[in-house]
Amino acid sequence: MANGERELPRPTPETQNFWDGTKAGELRLQQCGDCENVYFPPRHFCPGCGSKNVAVLKASGRATLNSYVISHLPAPGFTPPYAIAVAKLDEGPKMMCNIVDSPQTPEALVIDMALEVSFEKINDDITLAQFKPAGGQ
Amino acid sequence: MKRNSVAIVGASETTELGKVPSMSQVQLHADAALNALADAGLKLSDIDGVATGGHNAVEIAHYLGIVPKWLDGTSVGGCSFMLLVRHAAAAINEGLCNTVLITHGESGRSGLGRHGSSIFPSLFQQQFERPFGVTRPPTMFTIPVLRYMKDFGLTEETLAMVSVVQREWAGKNPRASFKDPITVDDVLNSKMICYPFRLLMCCLVTDGGGALILTKADRAKDMPQKPVYIRGTGESAETPMISQMADFTSSAAFRVSGQQAFESAGISHADVDHLMIYDAFAHLPIYGLEDLGFVGRGEAGPFIAEGNTRAGGKLPMNTNGGGLSYMHSGMYGMYALQEGVRQMRGTAPAQVPGAEISVVHGVGGMFSASGTIVMTNVA
Ligand SMILES: [Zn+2]
């Protein structure tokens, strides 16, 4: 059984726009206007070239399951076993997530399977970007 | 880095390893430091440089009664001590100090006198990883492995062989925590911790410490121990977030650190007689062997499973039993360095006959940082 509460993100000035995005149902990345680098996590400059000419890029929400583990260890707010995954977005960046709407088993979670973003509202301030198997309901 | 210009002249672990409820963390540092001073035939007053990782370096200096001329508190996880050896060698060469004491102590099991994490927290990790249920290292360090297994066909059986071979080495070491032989079946039937990782693929959690004393090589000749020269060094860092590791099948920090170490040492892989690769989890020696260039991509698992790293193999590796079977206080890098020194002095419990060059490679955090030291007993 889950004990305690899941640790929630504490947005910073550099990341607030990302968390505003998830609340609005958008997965927001950033793209450099000079070298076209698409990056995550957000910051006020491009980590590829140092340019401050960066803009928000709304991601498609499509991704693949790049890698994962299924943790059997206790964690606040989680009921083991649960998967901790990394989604590789079609736009390039990788993002940690849980896989929702799926059994948490090696049989159900196949490396490179197609995923799509699924926003999980935790409270009025925080909505997490999670992923689920693509093509589900 | 001037090749062989600085030597390790004192080296020791704490008197006891494993469960040490009689000492808090700062005393584990001091116990190892006093043992290393005795080993080197030096006094506390001979030390003018102090370095440690994972603990406030000021507290270590003060606890030992030293007002140092040089101080380094680089804390990037378990490989901090490889970086500190590198920094100390540079400082000695630059004339900033003459004799450096590097200490490690960690009450990893008993938790006495620990103050928070040994690695600085990451703001990004707080926001973009911790909400998804990562907690202790087994839930993070293991995340890249299913990617590697798919890309290179590594099986759970081959991964388990890393633990089996290291237990063989531990069986030769009276100070190892676990010495009884294990089989692949034992590993694969041990408790599931974090799929695909079983208990016997994960490191121990123990109390202990270690210390090293470094000085100029020309002074080392007149000292009691056989000098162990620093022939080459490297360090690097990639990311504080495992999810942001650029390639889940290869560590950029390992590659950069290893390449610097081999180039500065002026050695090829065939010159290496003895190897230590920090093994907090069973996959780390696999990544290390490939990223340091000992074998090609995807070849390290079979290389270990075929027996190349066991006693009598062509590349003896993790000869103390490693973090999987010898001991692992949390920041294991110091113990890998200690085993490198023992092998170069010819005093290791499982001595590699005639070994002249040892490579000691460390990881910090979850593939976050790396440090590599090339040691030799040939001036
Ligand atoms: Zn750019």
Side-chain angles (χ1 to χ4, degrees):
Chain A
M1 287 301 293
N3 287 312
E5 287 185 26
R6 177 199 286 258
E7 183 167 339
L8 294 182
R10 297 190 292 274
T12 54
E14 298 78 19
T15 64
Q16 186 63 54
N17 188 265
F18 175 86
W19 296 111
D20 289 345
T22 55
K23 223 163 34 171
E26 283 185 12
L27 188 60
R28 294 179 184 166
L29 301 172
Q30 289 178 316
Q31 183 166 29
C32 177
D34 290 338
C35 78
E36 300 189 345
N37 180 33
V38 179
Y39 63 90
F40 175 84
R43 67 208 82 172
H44 291 161
F45 63 94
C46 166
C49 74
S51 170
K52 291 181 181 171
N53 177 22
V54 296
V56 169
L57 174 77
K58 189 184 161 192
S60 64
R62 288 191 298 270
T64 55
L65 179 56
N66 198 246
S67 202
Y68 71 95
V69 293
I70 301 172
S71 178
H72 291 246
L73 298 173
F78 288 82
T79 304
Y82 64 96
I84 304 167
V86 175
K88 184 165 174 56
L89 308 185
D90 281 8
E91 291 80 6
K94 290 193 287 203
M95 208 175 265
M96 188 173 277
C97 60
N98 303 118
I99 306 296
V100 298
D101 298 341
S102 169
Q104 306 291 291
T105 62
E107 294 72 28
L109 301 172
V110 179
I111 295 289
D112 292 327
M113 68 191 279
L115 301 173
E116 60 190 39
V117 72
S118 174
F119 294 102
E120 182 181 1
K121 181 176 177 179
I122 305 291
N123 60 35
D124 286 346
D125 294 323
I126 293 296
T127 295
L128 297 176
Q130 299 281 30
F131 284 80
K132 64 182 178 184
Q137 56 284 70
Chain B
M1 178 75 210
K2 294 176 213 155
R3 235 170 256 171
N4 297 351
S5 57
V6 169
I8 297 170
V9 297
S12 180
E13 295 171 352
T14 44
T15 309
E16 290 179 69
L17 295 175
K19 203 169 176 185
V20 191
S22 62
M23 292 187 194
S24 64
Q25 187 158 293
V26 71
Q27 182 61 34
L28 290 167
H29 281 262
D31 185 64
L34 295 173
N35 287 349
L37 284 163
D39 179 69
L42 294 173
K43 303 184 296 293
L44 278 168
S45 56
D46 294 316
I47 301 297
D48 61 357
V50 171
T52 192
H55 200 106
N56 182 354
V58 175
E59 178 164 88
I60 299 306
H62 174 260
Y63 195 70
L64 292 168
I66 299 167
V67 179
K69 290 198 281 189
W70 176 86
L71 194 67
D72 193 331
T74 301
S75 291
V76 292
C79 67
S80 297
F81 310 99
M82 284 78 175
L83 277 71
L84 293 172
V85 165
R86 187 174 203 238
H87 301 175
I92 291 166
N93 275 329
E94 183 63 19
L96 303 183
C97 52
N98 291 313
T99 310
V100 171
L101 171 67
I102 303 174
T103 68
H104 159 69
E106 195 163 17
S107 187
R109 181 172 175 134
S110 303
L112 299 169
R114 295 189 90 181
H115 306 288
S117 167
S118 60
I119 307 175
F120 296 118
S122 154
L123 277 175
F124 271 164
Q125 199 204 24
Q126 194 287 320
Q127 293 185 57
F128 298 111
E129 291 194 339
R130 295 191 63 84
F132 303 104
V134 299
T135 53
R136 295 191 289 133
T139 66
M140 293 180 274
F141 225 150
T142 51
I143 284 175
V145 175
L146 284 182
R147 177 81 261 160
Y148 181 100
M149 291 172 83
K150 173 160 185 189
D151 286 359
F152 293 110
L154 175 72
T155 63
E156 290 179 43
E157 286 75 13
T158 301
L159 187 59
M161 273 301 291
V162 177
S163 306
V164 170
V165 172
Q166 301 221 176
R167 184 60 66 84
E168 292 175 7
W169 282 112
K172 302 172 188 298
N173 188 344
R175 263 164 76 89
S177 297
F178 293 133
K179 295 187 268 289
D180 294 338
I182 53 174
T183 65
V184 167
D185 281 347
D186 291 335
V187 178
L188 296 182
N189 290 324
S190 64
K191 188 181 170 198
M192 184 66 85
I193 300 295
C194 202
Y195 172 81
F197 279 75
R198 305 269 178 172
L199 181 65
L200 291 178
M201 298 171 176
C202 304
C203 63
L204 305 161
V205 183
T206 52
D207 304 325
L212 296 169
I213 298 169
L214 284 74
T215 193
K216 279 205 176 75
D218 52 15
R219 267 185 78 202
K221 294 189 187 72
D222 306 323
M223 300 182 72
Q225 303 296 343
K226 182 176 182 176
V228 176
Y229 302 99
I230 307 302
R231 178 159 173 155
T233 62
E235 67 186 275
S236 190
E238 184 176 2
T239 168
M241 304 166 73
I242 190 72
S243 64
Q244 300 307 309
M245 188 180 177
D247 178 351
F248 277 163
T249 69
S250 173
S251 161
F254 280 16
R255 295 194 306 271
V256 171
S257 179
Q259 188 177 350
Q260 291 178 86
F262 275 83
E263 284 179 1
S264 59
I267 59 167
S268 71
H269 295 86
D271 297 323
V272 178
D273 302 309
H274 170 252
L275 176 63
M276 297 297 290
I277 296 179
Y278 191 132
D279 58 325
F281 295 92
H283 59 305
L284 289 167
I286 293 175
Y287 282 66
L289 281 167
E290 295 179 12
D291 289 336
L292 294 178
F294 284 98
V295 298
R297 301 295 305 279
E299 294 175 1
F303 183 80
I304 292 169
E306 286 158 12
N308 289 296
T309 62
R310 62 166 46 128
K314 65 180 174 191
L315 185 59
M317 178 177 74
N318 294 344
T319 49
N320 59 353
L324 293 173
S325 287
Y326 177 59
M327 84 85 68
H328 194 293
S329 58
M331 302 176 74
Y332 167 79
M334 174 57 83
Y335 309 95
L337 289 163
Q338 295 284 337
E339 176 66 7
V341 170
R342 286 191 293 264
Q343 290 286 349
M344 292 299 93
R345 286 179 174 181
T347 60
Q351 180 64 40
V352 176
E356 294 184 344
I357 292 182
S358 173
V359 171
V360 184
H361 178 73
V363 65
M366 317 296 146
F367 283 120
S368 299
S370 186
T372 314
I373 302 297
V374 181
M375 303 177 184
T376 182
N377 49 27
V378 181

